[in-house]
Amino acid sequence: MDRRSFMKLTAIGGGAVFMSGLYGHAPAAAAGNTPAPYDDFYFVQLSDVHWGYSGGANPDALNTFRKAVATVNALEVQPDFIIFTGDLTHTTDDPKERRQRMAAFKEIAAGLKVKSVRFIPGEHDASLDNGAAFKENFGPSNYTFEHKGVHFIALDNVSDPGARIGDTQLEWLKNDLDKQAKDARIVVFTHRPLFDLVPKWDWATRDGDKAIALLMPYSNVTVFYGHIHQEHHHMTGRIAHHAAKSLIFPLPAPGSQEKRTPLPWDPALPNKGLGFREVEAQAGNDYKLTEFPVTRT
Protein backbone atom coordinates (compact mmCIF):
# COMPACT_ATOMS: atom_id res chain seq x y z
CA MET A 1 0.00 0.00 0.00
CA ASP A 2 1.43 3.43 -0.90
CA ARG A 3 1.29 6.44 1.41
CA ARG A 4 -1.67 8.09 -0.32
CA SER A 5 -3.79 4.95 -0.01
CA PHE A 6 -2.75 4.55 3.61
CA MET A 7 -3.80 8.10 4.49
CA LYS A 8 -7.24 7.49 3.04
CA LEU A 9 -7.72 4.76 5.61
CA THR A 10 -6.18 6.38 8.70
CA ALA A 11 -6.09 9.73 10.45
CA ILE A 12 -2.77 11.55 10.74
CA GLY A 13 -1.69 12.14 14.35
CA GLY A 14 0.65 14.97 13.48
CA GLY A 15 -0.19 18.64 13.52
CA ALA A 16 -0.97 21.54 11.29
CA VAL A 17 -1.11 20.93 7.56
CA PHE A 18 0.07 23.57 5.11
CA MET A 19 -0.46 23.39 1.37
CA SER A 20 2.70 24.53 -0.33
CA GLY A 21 2.81 26.50 -3.54
CA LEU A 22 4.77 23.93 -5.53
CA TYR A 23 2.93 24.40 -8.76
CA GLY A 24 3.10 22.64 -12.06
CA HIS A 25 3.21 19.11 -13.30
CA ALA A 26 6.47 18.72 -15.17
CA PRO A 27 9.29 16.62 -13.72
CA ALA A 28 12.92 17.61 -13.58
CA ALA A 29 13.62 16.51 -17.10
CA ALA A 30 16.19 17.94 -19.39
CA ALA A 31 14.91 20.70 -21.60
CA GLY A 32 12.96 19.28 -24.53
CA ASN A 33 12.36 15.87 -22.99
CA THR A 34 8.86 14.42 -22.56
CA PRO A 35 7.64 14.75 -18.94
CA ALA A 36 7.58 11.48 -17.00
CA PRO A 37 4.48 10.32 -15.11
CA TYR A 38 4.17 11.72 -11.59
CA ASP A 39 5.04 9.39 -8.71
CA ASP A 40 3.74 10.03 -5.17
CA PHE A 41 6.32 10.24 -2.38
CA TYR A 42 7.21 12.08 0.80
CA PHE A 43 10.28 13.02 2.79
CA VAL A 44 10.97 14.22 6.34
CA GLN A 45 12.81 17.45 7.17
CA LEU A 46 14.64 17.68 10.50
CA SER A 47 16.68 20.73 11.41
CA ASP A 48 18.88 22.43 13.98
CA VAL A 49 19.65 19.54 16.30
CA HIS A 50 22.62 21.43 17.84
CA TRP A 51 24.11 18.25 19.28
CA GLY A 52 26.50 19.29 22.08
CA TYR A 53 24.39 22.19 23.31
CA SER A 54 24.11 22.48 27.08
CA GLY A 55 22.09 25.20 28.74
CA GLY A 56 18.88 26.41 30.24
CA ALA A 57 17.06 26.77 26.92
CA ASN A 58 16.77 22.97 26.82
CA PRO A 59 17.82 21.04 29.95
CA ASP A 60 16.69 17.85 28.15
CA ALA A 61 19.08 18.42 25.23
CA LEU A 62 20.71 14.99 25.55
CA ASN A 63 17.37 13.29 24.92
CA THR A 64 15.49 15.51 22.45
CA PHE A 65 17.21 14.22 19.30
CA ARG A 66 16.82 10.59 20.36
CA LYS A 67 13.11 11.17 21.00
CA ALA A 68 12.70 12.67 17.53
CA VAL A 69 14.46 9.69 15.94
CA ALA A 70 12.07 7.36 17.78
CA THR A 71 9.07 9.41 16.59
CA VAL A 72 10.22 9.31 12.96
CA ASN A 73 10.81 5.56 13.24
CA ALA A 74 7.25 5.16 14.53
CA LEU A 75 5.63 6.88 11.52
CA GLU A 76 3.05 4.58 9.98
CA VAL A 77 4.63 4.82 6.54
CA GLN A 78 8.35 5.51 6.41
CA PRO A 79 9.53 8.42 4.23
CA ASP A 80 11.43 7.94 0.99
CA PHE A 81 14.31 9.90 2.49
CA ILE A 82 15.23 12.25 5.33
CA ILE A 83 17.01 15.61 5.07
CA PHE A 84 18.73 17.45 7.93
CA THR A 85 18.88 21.15 7.05
CA GLY A 86 21.90 22.20 9.05
CA ASP A 87 23.24 22.90 12.54
CA LEU A 88 23.64 19.22 13.22
CA THR A 89 26.00 20.19 16.06
CA HIS A 90 26.42 23.17 18.36
CA THR A 91 29.38 25.40 17.67
CA THR A 92 32.69 24.91 19.46
CA ASP A 93 36.10 26.52 18.98
CA ASP A 94 37.80 23.15 19.58
CA PRO A 95 38.27 21.23 16.26
CA LYS A 96 38.59 17.90 18.12
CA GLU A 97 35.39 18.50 20.06
CA ARG A 98 33.63 19.55 16.83
CA ARG A 99 34.48 16.19 15.25
CA GLN A 100 33.45 14.29 18.38
CA ARG A 101 30.07 16.00 18.33
CA MET A 102 29.62 15.11 14.66
CA ALA A 103 30.53 11.49 15.38
CA ALA A 104 27.99 11.36 18.21
CA PHE A 105 25.35 12.94 15.97
CA LYS A 106 26.02 10.36 13.24
CA GLU A 107 25.72 7.50 15.74
CA ILE A 108 22.24 8.64 16.83
CA ALA A 109 21.12 9.41 13.26
CA ALA A 110 22.20 5.88 12.29
CA GLY A 111 19.28 4.67 14.40
CA LEU A 112 16.80 5.98 11.84
CA LYS A 113 15.00 3.17 10.04
CA VAL A 114 15.26 5.00 6.74
CA LYS A 115 18.80 4.71 5.45
CA SER A 116 18.51 7.31 2.69
CA VAL A 117 19.52 10.29 4.84
CA ARG A 118 21.04 13.51 3.51
CA PHE A 119 22.71 16.40 5.30
CA ILE A 120 23.61 20.02 4.72
CA PRO A 121 25.68 22.12 7.14
CA GLY A 122 24.63 25.01 9.34
CA GLU A 123 26.92 27.80 10.46
CA HIS A 124 27.43 26.04 13.80
CA ASP A 125 28.88 23.07 11.89
CA ALA A 126 30.91 24.85 9.26
CA SER A 127 31.63 28.56 9.63
CA LEU A 128 34.74 28.21 11.84
CA ASP A 129 36.62 25.82 9.50
CA ASN A 130 34.98 26.55 6.12
CA GLY A 131 33.12 23.26 6.32
CA ALA A 132 36.19 21.02 6.70
CA ALA A 133 34.89 18.84 9.56
CA PHE A 134 31.43 18.62 7.98
CA LYS A 135 32.85 17.38 4.68
CA GLU A 136 35.01 14.81 6.47
CA ASN A 137 31.95 13.38 8.16
CA PHE A 138 29.07 13.94 5.72
CA GLY A 139 30.55 14.52 2.27
CA PRO A 140 30.06 17.53 -0.02
CA SER A 141 28.22 20.51 1.41
CA ASN A 142 26.47 21.28 -1.90
CA TYR A 143 25.12 18.69 -4.31
CA THR A 144 22.12 17.65 -6.37
CA PHE A 145 20.05 14.49 -6.67
CA GLU A 146 16.93 13.27 -8.42
CA HIS A 147 13.96 11.56 -6.83
CA LYS A 148 10.76 10.51 -8.59
CA GLY A 149 10.64 13.40 -11.03
CA VAL A 150 11.89 16.15 -8.68
CA HIS A 151 15.31 17.77 -8.98
CA PHE A 152 16.78 18.51 -5.53
CA ILE A 153 19.55 21.07 -4.98
CA ALA A 154 21.46 21.39 -1.69
CA LEU A 155 23.10 24.81 -1.30
CA ASP A 156 25.80 25.71 1.23
CA ASN A 157 25.28 29.24 2.54
CA VAL A 158 27.16 28.75 5.82
CA SER A 159 30.74 27.57 5.18
CA ASP A 160 31.68 31.11 4.17
CA PRO A 161 31.85 32.94 7.53
CA GLY A 162 30.55 35.99 5.71
CA ALA A 163 27.18 34.25 5.16
CA ARG A 164 27.59 34.06 1.40
CA ILE A 165 27.00 31.34 -1.17
CA GLY A 166 29.95 32.62 -3.14
CA ASP A 167 30.59 33.14 -6.85
CA THR A 168 31.99 29.63 -7.42
CA GLN A 169 28.90 27.92 -6.02
CA LEU A 170 26.57 30.35 -7.80
CA GLU A 171 28.24 29.42 -11.09
CA TRP A 172 27.77 25.74 -10.20
CA LEU A 173 24.09 26.46 -9.50
CA LYS A 174 23.68 28.25 -12.84
CA ASN A 175 25.28 25.38 -14.74
CA ASP A 176 22.99 22.89 -13.00
CA LEU A 177 19.85 24.92 -13.65
CA ASP A 178 20.78 25.34 -17.31
CA LYS A 179 20.20 21.58 -17.67
CA GLN A 180 16.64 21.78 -16.31
CA ALA A 181 13.42 22.51 -18.15
CA LYS A 182 11.82 25.82 -17.17
CA ASP A 183 8.83 23.94 -15.71
CA ALA A 184 10.88 21.27 -13.94
CA ARG A 185 9.93 20.51 -10.36
CA ILE A 186 12.83 21.84 -8.29
CA VAL A 187 13.34 21.75 -4.52
CA VAL A 188 16.21 23.64 -2.87
CA PHE A 189 17.59 22.88 0.60
CA THR A 190 19.54 25.58 2.46
CA HIS A 191 20.30 26.42 6.07
CA ARG A 192 19.93 30.20 6.14
CA PRO A 193 17.00 31.84 4.34
CA LEU A 194 17.92 33.00 0.84
CA PHE A 195 15.90 36.19 1.33
CA ASP A 196 16.37 38.99 3.89
CA LEU A 197 14.15 37.84 6.75
CA VAL A 198 15.92 39.66 9.62
CA PRO A 199 19.48 40.56 8.56
CA LYS A 200 20.43 42.01 11.95
CA TRP A 201 19.75 38.55 13.45
CA ASP A 202 21.83 36.85 10.73
CA TRP A 203 18.57 35.58 9.21
CA ALA A 204 19.64 36.25 5.63
CA THR A 205 22.18 35.24 2.99
CA ARG A 206 24.23 38.18 1.76
CA ASP A 207 24.18 37.01 -1.85
CA GLY A 208 20.92 35.06 -1.59
CA ASP A 209 19.32 37.48 -4.05
CA LYS A 210 21.68 36.14 -6.73
CA ALA A 211 20.50 32.57 -6.10
CA ILE A 212 16.87 33.67 -6.19
CA ALA A 213 17.51 35.49 -9.48
CA LEU A 214 18.91 32.25 -10.97
CA LEU A 215 15.90 30.26 -9.71
CA MET A 216 13.23 32.79 -10.70
CA PRO A 217 12.93 31.76 -14.39
CA TYR A 218 11.81 28.30 -13.25
CA SER A 219 8.10 27.98 -12.55
CA ASN A 220 8.11 25.20 -9.93
CA VAL A 221 10.68 26.01 -7.23
CA THR A 222 10.27 25.51 -3.49
CA VAL A 223 12.92 26.16 -0.82
CA PHE A 224 13.15 24.37 2.53
CA TYR A 225 15.49 25.75 5.17
CA GLY A 226 16.23 25.81 8.92
CA HIS A 227 18.25 28.28 11.02
CA ILE A 228 15.35 30.29 12.51
CA HIS A 229 14.05 27.47 14.77
CA GLN A 230 10.37 27.89 13.88
CA GLU A 231 7.84 27.22 11.17
CA HIS A 232 7.72 30.13 8.75
CA HIS A 233 6.40 30.57 5.20
CA HIS A 234 7.33 33.28 2.73
CA MET A 235 7.04 33.96 -1.01
CA THR A 236 9.62 35.70 -3.20
CA GLY A 237 7.74 36.06 -6.46
CA ARG A 238 6.48 32.56 -7.22
CA ILE A 239 9.12 30.80 -5.09
CA ALA A 240 7.85 29.41 -1.77
CA HIS A 241 10.27 29.34 1.20
CA HIS A 242 9.46 27.14 4.22
CA ALA A 243 11.45 27.21 7.48
CA ALA A 244 11.30 24.23 9.87
CA LYS A 245 11.20 24.01 13.63
CA SER A 246 14.34 22.99 15.50
CA LEU A 247 15.10 20.04 17.76
CA ILE A 248 16.85 22.06 20.50
CA PHE A 249 15.05 25.31 21.41
CA PRO A 250 12.62 27.75 19.77
CA LEU A 251 13.60 31.29 18.83
CA PRO A 252 11.37 34.42 18.87
CA ALA A 253 9.21 35.49 15.94
CA PRO A 254 11.19 37.29 13.24
CA GLY A 255 12.14 40.81 14.36
CA SER A 256 9.89 40.70 17.43
CA GLN A 257 12.61 41.81 19.85
CA GLU A 258 16.07 43.33 19.79
CA LYS A 259 18.04 40.08 20.06
CA ARG A 260 17.24 36.54 18.93
CA THR A 261 17.61 34.97 22.39
CA PRO A 262 16.01 31.51 22.84
CA LEU A 263 12.50 31.41 24.23
CA PRO A 264 12.32 30.31 27.89
CA TRP A 265 12.12 26.57 28.51
CA ASP A 266 8.77 25.43 29.93
CA PRO A 267 9.21 22.49 32.35
CA ALA A 268 5.51 21.65 31.97
CA LEU A 269 5.90 21.45 28.17
CA PRO A 270 9.59 20.58 27.64
CA ASN A 271 9.23 20.06 23.88
CA LYS A 272 7.11 23.16 23.25
CA GLY A 273 8.00 24.80 19.96
CA LEU A 274 10.15 21.88 18.79
CA GLY A 275 9.43 19.37 16.05
CA PHE A 276 9.91 18.22 12.48
CA ARG A 277 7.83 17.99 9.31
CA GLU A 278 6.71 15.66 6.61
CA VAL A 279 6.74 17.00 3.05
CA GLU A 280 4.47 15.08 0.73
CA ALA A 281 4.71 15.62 -3.01
CA GLN A 282 1.22 15.38 -4.41
CA ALA A 283 -0.09 14.70 -7.86
CA GLY A 284 -2.10 17.91 -8.26
CA ASN A 285 0.20 20.86 -8.00
CA ASP A 286 1.14 20.95 -4.37
CA TYR A 287 3.31 19.73 -1.55
CA LYS A 288 1.50 19.04 1.70
CA LEU A 289 3.49 19.98 4.82
CA THR A 290 2.56 18.27 8.07
CA GLU A 291 4.17 19.49 11.28
CA PHE A 292 4.96 16.93 13.99
CA PRO A 293 5.99 17.41 17.64
CA VAL A 294 9.13 15.71 19.01
CA THR A 295 6.95 13.06 20.60
CA ARG A 296 3.37 12.10 19.77
CA THR A 297 2.33 11.03 23.29
Side-chain angles (χ1 to χ4, degrees):
M1 179 183 294
D2 63 19
R3 175 178 169 77
R4 192 182 309 143
S5 301
F6 181 87
M7 291 307 175
K8 289 180 180 177
L9 299 174
T10 64
I12 299 176
V17 174
F18 182 91
M19 299 301 292
S20 167
L22 183 63
Y23 304 112
H25 306 269
N33 286 359
T34 301
Y38 174 78
D39 195 359
D40 180 39
F41 73 94
Y42 91 103
F43 65 88
V44 163
Q45 180 188 10
L46 300 106
S47 199
D48 295 87
V49 172
H50 286 256
W51 185 257
Y53 169 82
S54 176
N58 185 353
D60 194 40
L62 286 174
N63 298 311
T64 306
F65 183 27
R66 291 186 173 92
K67 291 176 181 176
V69 168
T71 303
V72 173
N73 284 342
L75 293 172
E76 290 85 353
V77 177
Q78 288 295 293
D80 287 41
F81 68 88
I82 293 168
I83 175 75
F84 284 86
T85 47
D87 282 356
L88 317 178
T89 60
H90 200 64
T91 193
T92 171
D93 293 333
D94 183 345
K96 181 179 179 181
E97 174 64 19
R98 184 177 306 124
R99 286 164 173 80
Q100 289 175 342
R101 291 181 182 185
M102 289 185 179
F105 172 92
K106 288 172 66 178
E107 183 177 348
I108 299 171
L112 288 161
K113 287 182 181 178
V114 172
K115 298 308 177 187
S116 179
V117 184
R118 299 176 185 275
F119 308 91
I120 61 172
E123 81 281 7
H124 281 257
D125 307 304
S127 65
L128 293 181
D129 64 2
N130 301 111
F134 176 89
K135 292 173 183 175
E136 289 172 19
N137 281 276
F138 302 100
S141 59
N142 63 297
Y143 53 88
T144 66
F145 64 98
E146 310 290 331
H147 188 76
K148 295 185 176 179
V150 178
H151 184 63
F152 291 87
I153 302 171
L155 284 180
D156 176 357
N157 58 357
V158 298
S159 291
D160 181 335
R164 292 182 173 85
I165 299 169
D167 291 343
T168 299
Q169 191 179 183
L170 286 167
E171 183 64 22
W172 168 84
L173 175 63
K174 179 182 182 302
N175 291 336
D176 178 74
L177 290 172
D178 284 345
K179 302 172 187 174
Q180 306 302 318
K182 288 296 188 286
D183 59 352
R185 300 186 76 164
I186 296 172
V187 168
V188 178
F189 296 128
T190 72
H191 182 65
R192 288 189 174 96
L194 292 177
F195 61 95
D196 286 347
L197 180 54
V198 186
K200 72 175 183 179
W201 286 6
D202 185 35
W203 288 5
T205 302
R206 290 187 180 178
D207 53 0
D209 58 331
K210 295 180 179 178
I212 291 174
L214 291 173
L215 292 164
M216 198 61 78
Y218 297 84
S219 57
N220 301 313
V221 178
T222 297
V223 180
F224 293 93
Y225 68 103
H227 192 54
I228 71 169
H229 293 212
Q230 61 195 282
E231 183 186 359
H232 188 269
H233 310 282
H234 179 79
M235 298 294 295
T236 54
R238 58 191 176 190
I239 300 175
H241 304 254
H242 305 292
K245 294 177 182 176
S246 85
L247 291 172
I248 190 63
F249 49 74
L251 290 170
S256 58
Q257 57 192 54
E258 182 60 26
K259 296 183 179 179
R260 62 175 199 281
T261 51
L263 297 180
W265 187 68
D266 184 348
L269 297 169
N271 295 320
K272 182 179 180 181
L274 309 181
F276 64 93
R277 69 160 49 116
E278 291 183 356
V279 181
E280 181 179 3
Q282 297 188 308
N285 297 317
D286 300 314
Y287 271 167
K288 183 171 74 176
L289 312 186
T290 305
E291 306 295 333
F292 281 80
V294 173
T295 62
R296 297 174 69 180
T297 57

